[in-house]
Amino acid sequence: MGEMEELRKEADNLKDQITEARKVVQDTTLQEAVAGTTLVGRVQLKTRKTLRGHLAKIYAMHWGTDTNCSKLCVSASQDGKLIVWDTLTTNKVSAIPLKSSWVMTCAYAPSGNMVACGGLDNMCSIYNLKGKDGNVKVMRELAAHTGYLSCCRFLSDSEIITSSGDCTCVLWDIETGTEKTIFAGHLGDCMSLAVSPDFKMFISGACDFTAKLWDIREASCRQTFSGHESDINAIGFFPNGNAVITGSDDATCKLYDLRADQELITYQDSGIMCGVTSLAPSLSGRLLLAGYDDFNVNIWDMLKAERVGVLAGHDNRVSCIGVSSDGMACCTGSWDSFLKIWN
Amino acid sequence: MPGVINMDELTDVDKAEMERDQKKIEVKLERWLTSKCCTEFMEAVQAGVEEDTLVKGIAEDKNPFKELKGGCVVC
């Protein structure tokens, strides 16, 4: 038997063992477990603010988390700008011109001191918001990926994790501008990543239809979750960090529990046939807000896996969504160039 | 710094080896019963739901995002 065949056979054998081990612990389904709970009441959110200013498709947005900026958010548009917004007043705190307008992601540092972005330039650019003269300048350009930057998330002011179309994720030292760790294993473009609430792990979703859980310090992949039938575009942690939520081009979202190492439930509806672009759980995790290619955001009861609301207000694809860290509002960004704040 | 990995430079055999080695790690995982996970999941959700604005709603006068009708906002 050739070496390839040998290796494939071993891997398949191990995969069968994993499938068996998952079945062994599956003594109930989430559907059965929640049979006695009541569906959450119909959720009707209103647009409270519309953030106007971008001149082209918005591709990403991220809320600030620090108490000083819990009502601030950053958005990235292919008009070549990053805008930091005060969502209460709709004022633009900063409008940062980018070297490359082909931006696909942006992130706000937990401290509120920096923002980052990247895209088809294959780089992650870090901007210091708190420069001495009040000007926002590029602090670092993190270059090493051989594919587009699909997502980035800060661990602190000195470390950031990126995911790329080159199938890898990287942990960077912002100070030196170098790669600390390369996380390889996905067999398709990495589309999205999310950091665990304790900052020890991160998850990535890719075009190989799987999600992977990585241990940041051990530099290893702990678990791989399958089941989706197409690219995973969006990924997030359940608020307590014990479960992972994914959104895919197969029109479904899935909830995977880290301890059971398997899917607990799928959020799908025969009436929904377009891909999921973005997702965010509400503060308690009771609701899952997911943006779709059909311009809507569907709101799901995460326990009962039924739709309990829709956010209809954009005139084009909803490309990004985020819930503020205090859970008070959700922000949607769209290809129609607007961001909306809802609650 | 661990060696630069350029996925384009990995041969099919390299990738198959990586996959096999990864599965060797994953097969050893200790897995919880789904019943325990579901119970904890439900409890986690119920614990936070009362403070969850998007679920419970918020009174107009307490909503920081309410319509600003004239006047000034001092931040």
Side-chain angles (χ1 to χ4, degrees):
Chain A
M1 209 186 291
E3 199 183 354
M4 264 309 277
E5 269 189 62
E6 189 75 56
L7 289 168
R8 287 249 167 86
K9 199 158 172 266
E10 267 194 82
D12 285 343
N13 198 313
L14 290 162
K15 283 182 193 174
D16 287 342
Q17 285 180 53
I18 292 170
T19 304
E20 255 320 294
R22 285 170 170 160
K23 280 204 188 111
V24 163
V25 296
Q26 195 186 34
D27 58 339
T28 188
T29 63
L30 185 62
Q31 252 147 329
E32 287 162 6
V34 301
T37 61
T38 333
L39 189 66
V40 80
R42 184 118 199 105
V43 175
Q44 282 170 312
L45 304 182
K46 295 202 180 96
T47 300
R48 302 295 176 182
K49 308 283 178 186
T50 298
L51 308 179
R52 297 183 169 87
H54 278 302
L55 304 170
K57 294 175 176 170
I58 290 170
Y59 273 79
M61 67 79 48
H62 195 213
W63 284 96
T65 40
D66 181 75
T67 36
N68 292 333
C69 53
S70 66
K71 297 295 190 292
L72 301 184
C73 72
V74 63
S75 61
S77 162
Q78 293 204 343
D79 62 5
K81 293 242 166 41
L82 274 192
I83 298 181
V84 178
W85 307 86
D86 177 331
T87 59
L88 292 180
T89 60
T90 74
N91 289 339
K92 300 174 187 51
V93 173
S94 298
I96 307 163
L98 306 174
K99 270 191 199 170
S100 163
S101 62
W102 304 113
V103 68
M104 295 172 69
T105 181
C106 62
Y108 217 130
S111 65
N113 294 333
M114 302 168 181
V115 289
C117 69
L120 295 183
D121 58 355
N122 297 2
M123 290 194 316
C124 182
S125 301
I126 314 284
Y127 294 83
N128 184 358
L129 294 177
K130 307 285 167 78
K132 286 194 186 97
D133 51 2
N135 283 339
V136 176
K137 284 193 292 227
V138 180
M139 225 187 89
R140 284 291 175 274
E141 282 173 341
L142 308 174
H145 277 301
T146 53
Y148 60 85
L149 206 85
S150 52
C151 194
C152 57
R153 285 291 178 258
F154 286 90
L155 292 183
S156 65
D157 280 2
S158 52
E159 288 180 317
I160 191 167
I161 299 183
T162 55
S163 63
S164 169
D166 68 11
C167 307
T168 69
C169 295
V170 172
L171 168 68
W172 302 83
D173 179 327
I174 295 174
E175 220 38 53
T176 60
T178 57
E179 309 108 273
K180 271 182 161 172
T181 311
I182 296 170
F183 301 90
H186 274 301
L187 300 171
D189 298 14
C190 293
M191 297 302 291
S192 186
L193 77 98
V195 179
S196 66
D198 66 5
F199 292 94
K200 291 183 180 166
M201 315 268 193
F202 76 93
I203 40 174
S204 56
C207 293
D208 60 5
F209 311 174
T210 72
K212 282 179 177 288
L213 175 73
W214 307 88
D215 184 317
I216 298 174
R217 303 305 158 191
E218 298 281 308
S220 61
C221 171
R222 288 261 196 103
Q223 292 168 253
T224 303
F225 301 98
S226 329
H228 276 297
E229 293 167 358
S230 188
D231 301 353
I232 292 176
N233 299 316
I235 199 161
F237 271 95
F238 180 72
N240 70 4
N242 291 332
V244 165
I245 314 162
T246 53
S248 165
D249 270 347
D250 69 10
T252 75
C253 293
K254 285 179 185 289
L255 175 74
Y256 296 95
D257 189 291
L258 298 184
R259 285 87 48 89
D261 184 44
Q262 59 191 273
E263 177 190 322
L264 287 189
I265 203 154
T266 297
Y267 302 93
Q268 65 190 344
D269 184 310
S270 54
I272 303 172
M273 288 171 294
C274 58
V276 177
T277 60
S278 49
L279 61 83
S282 69
L283 187 70
S284 65
R286 184 66 204 251
L287 303 177
L288 171 64
L289 294 98
Y292 291 74
D293 280 340
D294 66 358
F295 313 172
N296 288 330
V297 170
N298 287 312
I299 306 177
W300 299 86
D301 176 328
M302 282 204 79
L303 292 183
K304 307 288 279 184
E306 285 183 43
R307 268 199 291 179
V308 292
V310 172
L311 299 183
H314 284 290
D315 294 327
N316 206 323
R317 179 186 288 192
V318 172
S319 55
C320 50
I321 191 164
V323 170
S324 62
S325 53
D326 57 9
M328 298 228 78
C330 122
C331 177
T332 53
S334 166
W335 280 11
D336 68 8
S337 83
F338 303 117
L339 294 137
K340 286 180 183 286
I341 309 291
W342 313 71
N343 70 10
Chain B
M1 206 263 293
V4 180
I5 299 174
N6 187 338
M7 291 303 284
D8 296 334
E9 284 165 17
L10 291 182
T11 63
D12 284 343
V13 172
D14 290 333
K15 288 185 190 173
E17 242 178 48
M18 272 176 72
E19 175 77 344
R20 191 266 324 261
D21 292 344
Q22 179 58 33
K23 293 308 156 198
K24 271 190 175 168
I25 295 171
E26 290 176 8
V27 79
K28 295 192 193 134
L29 197 68
E30 276 188 38
R31 295 169 176 84
W32 287 22
L33 291 177
T34 53
S35 54
K36 184 162 187 227
C37 298
C38 288
T39 305
E40 279 205 19
F41 181 70
M42 285 162 62
E43 281 169 4
V45 166
Q46 311 291 34
V49 89
E50 290 306 310
E51 272 83 50
D52 192 337
T53 305
L54 298 181
V55 176
K56 294 288 166 185
I58 187 165
E60 187 68 27
D61 58 345
K62 297 216 168 71
N63 190 352
F65 294 97
K66 66 169 178 276
E67 220 39 76
L68 299 173
K69 291 181 168 73
C72 307
V73 174
V74 180
C75 300

